[in-house]
Amino acid sequence: MSVATENAETFASLNPATGEVVAEHPVQDGAAVAAAVERAREAAGWWRALGWKERRLRLLNVKGSLTRNLNRMAELIHQETGKPVQDAQLETIMAITHLDWAARNAQKILGPRNVYPGLMAINQRCVLEYQSLGVVGVIGPWNYPIFTPMGSIAYALAAGNAVVFKPSEYTPGVGVLLAELFAAVIPEHPVLQTVTGLGETGAALASSPHVDKIAFTGSARTAKRVMAACAENLTPIVAECGGKDACIVDTGADLDAAADAALWGAMSNAGQTCIGVERIYVVDEAYDRFLGKLTEKARDLRPGFDREAAYGPITMPAQLDVIERHIKDALDKGGKAVVGGAESVRKPYVEPVVLTNVPDDSSAVCEETFGPTITVHRVKDMDEAVEKANRTSYGLAGTIFSGDKSRAMDAARRMRSGMTSINAFAAFAQVAALPFGGVGESGFGRIHGADGLREFARPKAITRQRFATMNLTTFARTEKEMARVLGMINMIHGRRYKR
């Protein structure tokens, strides 16, 4: 975590497990942010002019540098977030694969291509291409401080933009190190800059009239403030704002695999995962056996900062109060803690908590908890499971375990979410070609995949007349020409269609 020092010129990045200072970083004010954006505008022009192949080469070399510094990055993530080193390594690996995919696929997806003009404009050559926006501001989260922002940074850079990155004040060092690695590989211009500071620094970036798009990850409440700042300049924004994701367990599912995946989805990273499992809906026939397996596995988990710990501390201290409130509310309303309870909150750690019989109106069911807690609910069938899973204002991701492929696919399509994984947890996050994003209070827009590349580019349509033909867009057109066209349109489009 981080706190501003007395002179407000620097702030300390703190290890949430020990309270020790990891590093001091400057609080960059509006003037510093404006200067960074100005440098980025110049860098964007140079970067765009390099062309697809040169940008690809440089980004692949950045990827290589990040790979060689993987353990260094993971250790820094471990220190700033408290998460286990292996989890930090896995996060960095995923960031590397996304950088690789964006670099290799940008030209194919965004480069110029011919489009068929149709009979009415058969004399036109039609070209569609995607042009870079200019400067993209990325406001990143602390829970996955390299993987999540890389989903915007890599794709924005591959699309030909320069990036100004404002990391969370809880994980500024990750952003600083990432910018250093970029600068070492691409020394000519600062195509990626990191600005450090508190909320005011992010606000300055969002409100800059010279930023062409903002990519934000954080709470829905903060997203609304960022959107308000962007609205002053009509700056577009892509926002990922968390979730209250559900896991559905059907009859015939592999219950051992389901319990293992649900537990990882709920407890890994101390539950501080936007796409983490916070609610489980189990079909009646499988409920008792699944719950038995889940609780048995959950009791074996231990938080801590040592290498044997299953997960680390709560990174943001204020979240501890939210977690404790949700547990107590669930119990006060008749819920039962089959693993842990209110006493599981032992700052800065929270031991695993599994809750059953929790009413649907409990805050533990309705609000994002962002901790290592989970509610398990009995339902009669898949229809009820999907209906209850969708009973939320969020819509980020979801998980389904079932032995029936068609029933699982049907439920996945009906689940109100941007992504759903069947018989695995969050497999989509590892697939760089798939888009990532939510609906409702989980945000809008997409990162990752072809959609993620297009998110950071503007489509440009160009037509070129190849030869002259009958011209209808002139005051000199004749009745005869118009009649000929009407006859042709009637022949092509006027027929009746039969089933």
Side-chain angles (χ1 to χ4, degrees):
M1 62 180 179
S2 307
V3 293
T5 56
E6 290 182 5
N7 61 14
E9 294 178 355
T10 64
F11 67 103
S13 170
L14 304 181
N15 182 318
T18 65
E20 296 174 345
V21 174
V22 179
E24 293 276 346
H25 297 276
V27 175
Q28 293 181 270
D29 59 13
V33 172
V37 171
E38 185 59 32
R39 290 191 295 271
R41 292 190 71 80
E42 182 178 351
W46 171 80
W47 184 243
R48 180 175 59 248
L50 279 182
W52 299 109
K53 291 183 179 180
E54 285 298 316
R55 288 197 298 270
R56 176 183 182 272
L57 177 63
R58 284 166 169 78
L59 289 176
L60 291 177
N61 280 326
V62 171
K63 177 203 70 170
S65 177
L66 179 57
T67 303
R68 293 188 294 275
N69 286 276
L70 191 155
N71 288 330
R72 180 185 173 195
M73 178 64 78
E75 179 60 30
L76 181 55
I77 293 171
H78 171 59
Q79 293 293 326
E80 289 197 319
T81 68
K83 71 173 63 178
V85 171
Q86 288 188 354
D87 287 358
Q89 290 171 331
L90 178 60
E91 176 186 346
T92 308
I93 290 169
M94 292 172 67
I96 289 167
T97 60
H98 278 275
L99 178 55
D100 178 75
W101 193 92
R104 292 183 186 278
N105 288 276
Q107 182 176 10
K108 179 175 65 176
I109 291 164
L110 303 179
R113 65 176 182 267
N114 293 326
V115 177
Y116 177 64
L119 288 177
M120 286 296 294
I122 198 66
N123 64 325
Q124 300 291 333
R125 172 76 68 185
C126 302
V127 176
L128 171 63
E129 63 183 47
Y130 292 84
Q131 299 181 346
S132 58
L133 302 175
V135 177
V136 172
V138 176
I139 300 176
W142 48 263
N143 57 335
Y144 292 92
I146 187 170
F147 168 67
T148 299
M150 187 63 82
S152 298
I153 292 170
Y155 293 77
L157 287 167
N161 306 284
V163 174
V164 178
F165 175 35
K166 194 280 177 187
S168 166
E169 57 267 34
Y170 294 94
T171 54
V174 173
V176 171
L177 176 55
L178 187 62
E180 289 176 358
L181 295 177
F182 266 87
V185 175
I186 311 173
E188 299 95 333
H189 286 272
V191 295
L192 172 66
Q193 298 173 77
T194 291
V195 291
T196 58
L198 309 179
E200 294 78 7
T201 305
L205 183 61
S207 61
S208 170
H210 302 299
V211 169
D212 298 288
K213 189 159 193 173
I214 289 289
F216 169 83
T217 304
S219 69
R221 183 176 63 178
T222 304
K224 292 173 184 177
R225 294 202 297 268
V226 173
M227 288 179 67
C230 289
E232 292 296 319
N233 300 298
L234 288 180
T235 304
I237 176 174
V238 51
E240 193 258 276
C241 309
K244 190 69 179 175
D245 290 355
C247 172
I248 294 174
V249 181
D250 189 14
T251 55
D254 181 336
L255 297 184
D256 285 309
D260 184 74
L263 190 67
W264 172 264
M267 307 294 173
S268 63
N269 201 31
Q272 301 167 120
T273 304
C274 298
I275 55 173
V277 175
E278 297 210 359
R279 301 170 293 149
I280 306 178
Y281 296 100
V282 188
V283 173
D284 182 72
E285 185 180 318
Y287 180 86
D288 291 328
R289 287 179 295 137
F290 172 82
L291 183 62
K293 294 177 183 294
L294 180 72
T295 55
E296 182 182 358
K297 293 174 183 291
R299 290 191 182 102
D300 291 336
L301 299 184
R302 178 183 61 81
F305 192 62
D306 56 285
R307 296 190 73 88
E308 286 72 38
Y311 57 84
I314 301 303
T315 305
M316 189 169 68
Q319 199 65 27
L320 286 158
D321 295 333
V322 175
I323 297 166
E324 189 172 32
R325 174 172 61 83
H326 285 194
I327 296 170
K328 288 181 177 179
D329 183 62
L331 297 176
D332 289 345
K333 290 182 176 177
K336 179 183 178 183
V338 294
V339 176
E343 71 281 0
S344 298
V345 180
R346 300 178 181 178
K347 301 178 181 181
Y349 298 101
V350 177
E351 295 171 348
V353 178
V354 178
L355 300 162
T356 62
N357 302 323
V358 181
D360 290 340
D361 63 350
S362 169
S363 58
V365 178
C366 299
E367 301 174 17
E368 185 175 35
T369 306
F370 230 55
T373 72
I374 197 162
T375 62
V376 187
H377 309 262
R378 187 192 298 265
V379 293
K380 63 180 180 180
D381 54 26
M382 287 290 277
D383 287 338
E384 184 182 3
V386 172
E387 189 274 326
K388 289 200 168 187
N390 289 344
R391 200 183 291 175
T392 174
S393 58
Y394 291 104
L396 190 55
T399 309
I400 295 170
F401 272 84
S402 175
D404 188 306
K405 176 183 175 182
S406 62
R407 194 159 61 223
M409 286 297 293
D410 175 67
R413 291 189 173 103
R414 289 190 288 143
M415 183 176 275
R416 183 176 177 267
S417 63
M419 303 82 63
T420 302
S421 277
I422 298 172
N423 294 338
F425 169 71
F428 49 80
Q430 301 176 46
V431 182
L434 288 175
F436 184 105
V439 298
E441 285 204 40
S442 290
F444 49 85
R446 294 294 182 268
I447 58 175
H448 302 175
D451 294 270
L453 284 167
R454 295 189 189 103
E455 193 76 52
F456 298 105
R458 60 170 63 90
K460 176 74 174 186
I462 302 173
T463 60
R464 178 178 60 83
Q465 183 168 295
R466 298 182 297 149
F467 55 87
T469 185
M470 184 170 51
N471 186 6
L472 301 179
T473 57
T474 172
F475 291 111
R477 73 183 174 213
T478 65
E479 291 284 345
K480 184 178 180 181
E481 288 173 330
M482 198 65 203
R484 188 186 308 165
V485 169
L486 289 171
M488 182 177 67
I489 291 298
N490 187 62
M491 180 179 65
I492 296 171
H493 299 294
R495 64 189 179 94
R496 290 181 171 86
Y497 296 87
K498 297 180 181 179
R499 286 187 174 85

